[in-house]
Amino acid sequence: MRIVVSDQLPASALDLLRAEPGWIVDARAGRDPQTLAADLSGADALVVRSATTVDERLLDAAPGLKVVARAGTGVDNVNLEAASARGIIVMNAPGANSISVAEHALALMLAAARAIPSADRSMKEGRWAKKGLLGAELRGKTLGVVGLGRIGQAVAARAHGFGMTVVAHDPYIAAHVAQDLGVALLTLDDLCAQADYISLHLPSTPATHHLFDAARLARCKPGVRIVNTSRGDLIDEGALADAIESGHVAGAGLDVFEIEPPTDTRLTKLPQVVATPHIAASTHEAQELVGLETVTSVRDFLRDGIVRNAVNFPSVSAEEFRRLQPALRLAEALGSLASQLEEARTHAVGVRYYGALNEAPGDLLTSAVLVGLFKRMLASGISLVNARAVAAGRGVEVVESRSSRGRNFTSLISVKLHTSGGERWVEGAVFEPGTPRLVLLDGVAVEAPLEGTLIVLANDDRPGVIGEVGTVLGRHGINIGAFALGRGPAGAVGVVSVDAPSGEIDDRVVAEVRRASAVKSAVVVRI
């Protein structure tokens, strides 16, 4: 076996690979793309960190490559589609740096609460500025954790040690997981209204971009301090600077920024802000763990065929995977639709297969449903391989069943979401030529496309609904591609397919649709 390591790894990780008899480990950081491509010509594995970009051209230079391993969580620097097309497994090292990031979040919280950087600076300048540096305790305060994954959970556990009350917002975590942590789950607005400190632990997705904008910050408790060790674009930096300068936000601890390094230093120069240059995961321990976890996965795969921490590997043959593509697209679209219809916490997902899909590999299709369910909030690393592990880690029960009945369709997938707000039930089928379609919504038969931008309505079953909604959208220059209606005992449902990029339908448009006299609810869904 020949393993190329193109970025810096700890010696202990390299030694683990070199201990295998007959294995050649070519570990050199800083190679230019041409040299690296030449060195990969006979390689079985490539191990990278963030400095190396694994693009299609580089993969073309490595015809024998079996695995690409990213020593870290994000795989943004690896072309997953190109790797998958070539049958190359892509692995990462999720969670190895969780403790380091969690400790840094607490460090920023303490530094902001006690004005430690200002105190240190005054001492270095020869000033004894004791009177102007009155701080605040963490004890007795409420910490709001936004995103209760591995790092968020680690932050919550450590905050309890400071005597803090911890609340959290995460619609993708089961209630019993939070309960075991001693954490109360709240809506995001309720969390903002109660928290004295807010710590962000979310991925960067369209749904989380500028989640903390001017409007959200205005709904926060006066005097709040905000910590971000996750992704810079979660916060509108200009809005945060305004809120700090106005006194509404007492301060912030920031390790990540929209542009790194920041080109606009207005926020980082504020005395109430403690800023660090994206170093939350930069500890000896984290780097050691990430390196060891990564190369252990590579070794086990090359030596024993064990696949672990893969982000792109289906558990079926390549031929069957191609045959299942239409059903996989349907399954993911149904999961995505169901998740966007309901913002309450999900504690169980039921998936049922009918007709020909009764014989299909349900484990793979159910994983596709889970990918759709979690993708908006977990854009980094959610895949067919790890979707079930993600669900299990968040305490979401997955129940599968099968039926040989066709239910008026040759093949049908039914997805039922069990949440703290009730149940949401969607069903879909694959229409020719391989197009996924919605055929049932909360028990009401309705046929609609499962792609693009949709507005899902619940409305009174009376004349004029199409006209009212169409008038509103027309007034905003939004074209209707299709308008599907279905009738049920409790009223009617509608699915409006619109020709609009995701940015064109804003909250103002949706609010106006909801004010239509016959409309009970309206939700924008993007698939």
Side-chain angles (χ1 to χ4, degrees):
M1 292 294 178
R2 186 167 184 270
I3 298 96
V4 173
V5 181
S6 63
D7 295 327
Q8 199 70 41
L9 284 187
S12 58
L14 299 175
D15 289 344
L16 188 145
L17 291 174
R18 288 172 174 145
E20 294 299 316
W23 286 24
I24 300 170
V25 180
D26 177 5
R28 287 178 289 142
R31 281 177 269 203
D32 61 70
Q34 292 76 21
T35 301
L36 179 58
D39 292 341
L40 283 171
S41 61
D44 299 282
L46 169 63
V47 182
V48 304
R49 294 186 68 86
S50 57
T52 298
T53 298
V54 184
D55 55 19
E56 196 165 1
R57 186 177 62 176
L58 192 64
L59 294 172
D60 283 339
L65 203 62
K66 301 178 180 69
V67 58
V68 173
R70 160 74 162 95
T73 301
V75 290
D76 296 344
N77 58 320
V78 180
N79 188 326
L80 288 176
E81 185 177 351
S84 300
R86 290 160 176 77
I88 299 170
I89 294 175
V90 179
M91 298 175 170
N92 66 350
N97 59 13
S98 297
I99 301 305
S100 292
V101 176
E103 288 184 356
H104 195 72
L106 267 296
L108 289 173
M109 204 179 305
L110 286 165
R114 301 305 300 269
I116 290 174
S118 296
D120 177 70
R121 186 165 54 251
S122 68
M123 292 294 291
K124 286 180 168 57
E125 293 172 351
R127 295 182 293 109
W128 188 259
K130 181 176 180 179
K131 290 184 179 179
L133 295 170
L134 186 64
E137 291 185 351
L138 300 188
R139 176 177 59 96
K141 303 301 192 305
T142 297
L143 169 64
V145 178
V146 183
L148 203 57
R150 293 185 185 183
I151 297 172
Q153 291 179 29
V155 169
R158 283 151 182 76
H160 282 308
F162 284 96
M164 303 184 83
T165 298
V166 183
V167 298
H169 170 72
D170 192 329
Y172 298 92
I173 200 82
H176 69 82
V177 174
Q179 186 176 3
D180 291 345
L181 290 166
V183 174
L185 288 172
L186 303 176
T187 67
L188 184 54
D189 282 345
D190 285 345
L191 179 148
C192 290
Q194 295 182 27
D196 301 291
Y197 296 84
I198 295 175
S199 189
L200 306 183
H201 304 284
L202 297 172
S204 174
T205 71
T208 61
H209 180 76
H210 284 187
L211 186 64
F212 279 76
D213 55 10
R216 181 81 62 195
L217 292 168
R219 293 196 290 271
C220 288
K221 183 178 181 180
V224 69
R225 290 181 171 88
I226 297 175
V227 172
N228 189 10
T229 54
S230 186
R231 294 292 184 269
D233 67 353
L234 301 180
I235 297 176
D236 182 333
E237 294 176 354
L240 178 58
D242 290 341
I244 293 173
E245 288 174 345
S246 73
H248 182 72
V249 173
L254 307 173
D255 184 56
V256 290
F257 305 89
E258 286 202 77
I259 298 174
E260 295 184 350
T263 54
D264 183 353
T265 58
R266 175 192 170 202
L267 181 62
T268 56
K269 285 184 176 179
L270 290 173
Q272 302 95 325
V273 173
V274 180
T276 54
H278 205 150
I279 59 170
S282 297
T283 63
H284 293 295
E285 294 85 353
Q287 300 309 305
E288 190 86 5
L289 284 172
V290 166
L292 285 171
E293 183 174 319
T294 302
V295 300
T296 298
S297 296
V298 170
R299 180 201 63 187
D300 292 350
F301 172 66
L302 293 177
R303 188 185 64 188
D304 306 318
I306 298 171
V307 178
R308 188 166 49 241
N309 294 332
V311 298
N312 70 332
F313 183 73
S315 56
V316 294
S317 68
E319 182 180 347
E320 187 173 13
F321 186 64
R322 284 192 296 271
R323 182 178 61 81
L324 284 171
Q325 280 301 306
L328 287 168
R329 287 195 296 270
L330 170 64
E332 183 173 335
L334 288 172
S336 179
L337 172 65
S339 72
Q340 294 178 69
L341 291 176
E342 183 57 70
E343 293 187 353
R345 293 187 304 278
T346 299
H347 54 80
V349 181
V351 185
R352 188 170 177 82
Y353 303 102
Y354 294 90
L357 290 179
N358 186 43
E359 303 299 325
D363 54 344
L364 190 61
L365 292 173
T366 299
S367 293
V369 171
L370 296 175
V371 168
L373 180 65
F374 292 114
K375 194 172 186 178
R376 286 191 312 137
M377 294 297 291
L378 301 173
S380 175
I382 184 73
S383 71
L384 293 174
V385 176
N386 63 6
R388 288 175 178 271
V390 169
R394 291 177 168 264
V396 176
E397 181 184 6
V398 180
V399 180
E400 297 167 88
S401 59
R402 296 171 180 267
S403 173
S404 58
R405 286 193 302 128
R407 288 278 310 279
N408 299 324
F409 296 94
T410 304
S411 301
L412 188 78
I413 300 178
S414 176
V415 176
K416 187 171 286 188
L417 225 58
H418 303 267
T419 78
S420 56
E423 295 182 351
R424 299 309 298 255
W425 177 21
V426 295
E427 292 186 350
V430 176
F431 285 35
E432 292 297 335
T435 304
R437 303 281 291 186
L438 176 70
V439 298
L440 185 138
L441 175 61
D442 289 332
V444 179
V446 58
E447 185 189 322
L450 278 173
E451 59 183 0
T453 302
L454 309 174
I455 303 175
V456 180
L457 307 171
N459 56 276
D460 295 326
D461 187 10
R462 61 179 177 80
V465 177
I466 295 176
E468 284 190 84
V469 174
T471 299
V472 171
L473 297 178
R475 190 159 50 242
H476 291 277
I478 298 170
N479 190 47
I480 295 176
F483 202 133
L485 289 173
R487 293 174 168 180
V493 298
V495 181
V496 188
S497 175
V498 298
D499 300 333
S502 60
E504 289 189 13
I505 300 183
D506 56 23
D507 292 342
R508 182 169 51 91
V509 176
V510 178
E512 196 170 336
V513 170
R514 289 172 182 154
R515 287 196 295 270
S517 58
V519 173
K520 298 177 182 177
S521 66
V523 179
V524 176
V525 173
R526 298 181 177 99
I527 298 176

